[in-house]
Amino acid sequence: MKKVITYGTFDLLHTGHINLLRRANEYGDYLVVAISSDEFNELKNKKAYYTFEQRKAILEAVRYVDEVIPEKSWGQKVDDVRKHNVDVFVMGDDWKGKFDYLMEYCEVIYLPRTVGISTTKIKRDLDKK
Ligand code: C2G
């Protein structure tokens, strides 16, 4: 079984996230999504609307996702790749180059981001309403 992993906050799930998850899923047979914990979001200076548990429940309902695990630190990726026998690591290309060190353990793919949508934009547009 070819296993894929990706990481993110995935707050206020939108079509940009779905496009990423759908394409990531196409690289294998099983997609693991590591969702940033509430504490790790603070480290990332990201304020999520939904808690980790809520974001986990939402992601688990997405047809492309097979398993959701917590992302608690920047440094856990190598262990995750090994522990979950991951073949392919996938991220949006806003992260291009940042995780090339994983090439020693698995394939590393950066996919084009979906233009025109982001959680920040959603929040900003709602404020204008
Ligand atoms: N994404 C995308 N298109 C968008 C918005 C997001 O392809 N319009 C992708 C991002 O590139 C990322 C994934 O969706 O691969 C999740 O996005 P975020 O929740 O913003 O994740 P981020 O905060 O970048 O966390 O250790 C890695 C970090 O946890 C990544």
Side-chain angles (χ1 to χ4, degrees), residues 8-108:
T9 298
F10 293 101
D11 190 33
L12 301 183
L13 201 66
H14 54 65
T15 47
H17 296 136
I18 296 299
N19 289 340
L20 188 284
L21 295 169
R22 186 189 67 255
R23 287 174 295 163
N25 180 49
E26 286 162 5
Y27 279 91
D29 316 293
Y30 189 93
L31 175 60
V32 179
V33 182
I35 297 189
S36 309
S37 66
D38 298 327
E39 297 74 17
F40 185 52
N41 269 333
E42 278 176 41
L43 269 178
K44 294 198 304 187
N45 289 321
K46 271 208 162 183
K47 194 146 182 45
Y49 177 77
Y50 287 125
T51 65
F52 171 79
E53 287 308 323
Q54 289 170 317
R55 286 179 285 121
K56 180 172 185 288
I58 292 167
L59 260 285
E60 283 170 344
V62 174
R63 69 175 63 190
Y64 307 117
V65 177
D66 296 287
E67 182 179 358
V68 176
I69 63 172
E71 178 187 29
K72 297 181 177 170
S73 73
W74 289 112
Q76 72 180 70
K77 293 183 176 66
V78 172
D79 289 344
D80 289 346
V81 167
R82 286 173 152 165
K83 195 165 62 179
H84 293 271
N85 300 311
V86 165
D87 303 287
V88 190
F89 167 90
V90 176
M91 283 302 288
D93 61 5
D94 45 320
W95 293 94
K96 192 163 180 58
K98 298 286 189 309
F99 302 115
D100 289 358
Y101 66 88
L102 292 172
M103 285 176 182
E104 204 178 319
Y105 307 96
C106 63
E107 201 181 340
V108 174

